[in-house]
Amino acid sequence: MYVLQSIRYIIALTLFFLLPATAASAAPVGLVANGYTLNPEVSPVIENGRLLVPLRTAAEALHASVYYDDTTRQITITKEDLTVTLTVDSAQVLIGDRPATLETPARLSNGRTLVPIRFLSEMLGFYVTWHPLENTAYLSENLLNLPGWTRPLTTEPVKIYRHGYDAGMKLLQPKAGHVEADTRVDLVGTIQKATSEVIVIVEKGSNRSDQSLEVKNGVVKGQVWLPFGPGEYIVTVCSPPQNGSLFGLAGFKVKNTNSDDFRALAPIDLIDWNHPEVLQLARQLAKEDPMATVSAIHDWVAQNIEYDMAAIQQNNLVRKSASEVLSLKKGVCEHFSRLVAGLCRANGIPAVVVEGYARQKGEAWPAQPNHAWNEVLIGGNWISIDATWDSGYIEGNRFVKEFSREFFNPDPARFANTHRKTGAER
């Protein structure tokens, strides 16, 4: 998994959490990093609503190096090309050569340095979540390693709809029809009707995400993402598409406590970057910096995915996830774009699929949206990428494979001559 190297390259996509506002937490606080439980000599503490953790233990578990200078009381943290420097009892920090300020200064406790866990996420680009039911903080280089949890907000059970009764659907988790969660929900259920997947529709206001969960031997188990920031969500578990329609099996509501929008990073809307084959290719294409990584992803997709002319000619645009496109090595623009987005997200780089209008120079704009491409976040700026157009061109009834980089991070004004967004992004 490609590691987020520096907040110079990403927006603040940290997972924040609510902690007791007491002066100090009496209950022991657990600490888990990259899936491993840590047992530091000095335990984490909660002070004034902020969680302080032992710096060396946490940083080294996340593959960062820590050096402490007794004379100056200065601490240097290095991870790949990133260096962070701070001083005990000082709120001033250097991230490379850029100054920043800690919300709470680092301090010593029994000879060990404690820092706010928020520092580790914001300054070093790690993901963090607080599990209130376990009284445990989780840190990870990988977004997928963070746990889901739910806390009931009502005594009413999950709703089972008519099609759910017919299919023999039961939900074991969550255990209530209205729950609280942080970023994701662990969903566990059983279904008697033979099926290989269920589709989970996640809605917050006008925002909607469709998420697929695998069914094995009648058991559905996985994480449902709440990608649109804090607030109330409606979640509906559905049967797979039948003649273009989805039928609700079960439903519940979720209050998301997380303040961040993860729609550009989560494995949702057929961008299943958590699939083993997508992850494997993403690792192979990872470079030293995000721009080089995205360039390698664009080039690989443009050169290795075949444009599916038969699907266009027969108007047979089937539903394909990023992993299916990778397996089949064939697709149309929306499929190219899902794979690009999946490989970017697997490397910790925010990416979305953009739907819109495309035309050749001199042509009129089409009446209906006819194309899809990508926007990717690099260094705080969204850049455009069209791997489909860079893979070749249509000539008569055939597609001519001809690789180029003309539509990789093109000049925005020139790109606007041929591409126009509808505003729809996934």
Side-chain angles (χ1 to χ4, degrees), residues 333-334 354-358 368-373 386 388-389 418-419:
C333 59
E334 65 184 75
V354 177
E355 299 173 359
Y357 308 85
Q368 300 293 329
N370 64 336
H371 194 45
W373 60 95
D386 192 339
T388 310
W389 277 29
T418 56
H419 294 67

Side-chain angles (χ1 to χ4, degrees), residues 211-228:
Q211 305 174 33
S212 174
L213 292 182
E214 187 178 15
V215 178
K216 288 185 177 181
N217 299 319
V219 176
V220 55
K221 183 177 182 181
Q223 290 189 332
V224 176
W225 289 78
L226 311 171
F228 308 118

Side-chain angles (χ1 to χ4, degrees), residues 297-303 305-309 312 325 331-340 353-354 358 360 370-374 385-394 399-404 407-408 415 419:
I297 290 169
H298 162 273
D299 293 358
W300 192 95
V301 173
Q303 292 174 320
I305 302 302
E306 178 185 349
Y307 191 77
D308 194 346
M309 280 297 297
I312 294 293
V325 178
V332 296
C333 59
E334 65 184 75
H335 305 138
F336 276 65
S337 301
R338 283 192 197 122
L339 182 54
V340 168
V353 175
V354 177
Q360 297 297 328
N370 64 336
H371 194 45
W373 60 95
N374 295 99
I385 297 173
D386 192 339
T388 310
W389 277 29
D390 277 340
S391 71
Y393 58 92
I394 295 175
F399 187 82
V400 180
K401 197 74 173 175
E402 184 176 280
F403 172 72
S404 77
F407 294 97
F408 177 80
F415 192 66
H419 294 67

Side-chain angles (χ1 to χ4, degrees), residues 4-19:
L4 298 181
Q5 296 187 8
S6 167
I7 61 170
R8 291 173 296 177
Y9 303 130
I10 60 171
I11 58 175
L13 289 169
T14 308
L15 295 171
F16 299 124
F17 42 83
L18 299 175
L19 294 171

Side-chain angles (χ1 to χ4, degrees), residues 141-424:
E141 297 168 298
N142 182 344
L143 192 61
L144 298 178
N145 284 342
L146 298 176
W149 58 269
T150 57
R151 179 161 47 194
L153 296 176
T154 181
T155 57
E156 295 181 5
V158 170
K159 291 182 179 179
I160 302 296
Y161 303 120
R162 180 174 64 83
H163 289 284
Y165 283 113
D166 293 343
M169 181 78 192
K170 293 182 180 179
L171 281 191
L172 307 177
Q173 289 185 5
K175 298 181 182 297
H178 189 197
V179 296
E180 185 180 64
D182 182 339
T183 308
R184 72 201 80 196
V185 172
D186 284 336
L187 188 146
V188 180
T190 59
I191 185 168
Q192 294 177 6
K193 184 177 180 180
T195 182
S196 60
E197 67 171 346
V198 293
I199 305 299
V200 183
I201 299 175
V202 178
E203 297 173 287
K204 177 177 179 281
S206 61
N207 294 307
R208 169 174 164 169
S209 167
D210 290 9
Q211 305 174 33
S212 174
L213 292 182
E214 187 178 15
V215 178
K216 288 185 177 181
N217 299 319
V219 176
V220 55
K221 183 177 182 181
Q223 290 189 332
V224 176
W225 289 78
L226 311 171
F228 308 118
E232 292 288 341
Y233 287 70
I234 297 174
V235 179
T236 308
V237 182
C238 302
S239 59
Q242 302 173 29
N243 299 320
S245 299
L246 294 171
F247 296 96
L249 305 175
F252 54 92
K253 295 186 295 184
V254 186
K255 179 183 178 182
N256 182 22
T257 62
N258 191 277
S259 62
D260 293 303
D261 190 310
F262 273 85
R263 74 186 76 193
L265 276 175
I268 58 176
D269 299 315
L270 299 177
I271 304 173
D272 57 340
W273 63 259
N274 51 342
H275 189 280
E277 292 182 9
V278 179
L279 285 170
Q280 182 180 11
L281 178 58
R283 294 189 190 100
Q284 294 172 3
L285 296 175
K287 305 299 179 185
E288 291 300 317
D289 66 83
M291 182 62 85
T293 299
V294 175
S295 177
I297 290 169
H298 162 273
D299 293 358
W300 192 95
V301 173
Q303 292 174 320
N304 290 277
I305 302 302
E306 178 185 349
Y307 191 77
D308 194 346
M309 280 297 297
I312 294 293
Q313 293 164 350
Q314 298 167 13
N315 194 27
N316 183 28
L317 303 181
V318 299
R319 174 177 170 267
K320 288 183 187 177
S321 65
S323 62
E324 290 172 320
V325 178
L326 178 58
S327 176
L328 297 171
K329 299 290 192 299
K330 180 183 288 189
V332 296
C333 59
E334 65 184 75
H335 305 138
F336 276 65
S337 301
R338 283 192 197 122
L339 182 54
V340 168
L343 293 168
C344 288
R345 294 182 189 185
N347 279 313
I349 301 171
V352 296
V353 175
V354 177
E355 299 173 359
Y357 308 85
R359 66 175 184 179
Q360 297 297 328
K361 294 177 182 177
E363 292 181 347
W365 289 105
Q368 300 293 329
N370 64 336
H371 194 45
W373 60 95
N374 295 99
E375 288 183 354
V376 180
L377 187 65
I378 302 290
N381 297 311
W382 290 94
I383 68 170
S384 297
I385 297 173
D386 192 339
T388 310
W389 277 29
D390 277 340
S391 71
Y393 58 92
I394 295 175
E395 186 178 77
N397 292 322
R398 68 190 186 98
F399 187 82
V400 180
K401 197 74 173 175
E402 184 176 280
F403 172 72
S404 77
R405 307 191 85 251
E406 181 179 358
F407 294 97
F408 177 80
N409 191 21
D411 174 72
R414 180 171 62 85
F415 192 66
N417 289 327
T418 56
H419 294 67
R420 179 183 292 175
K421 293 197 296 184
T422 63

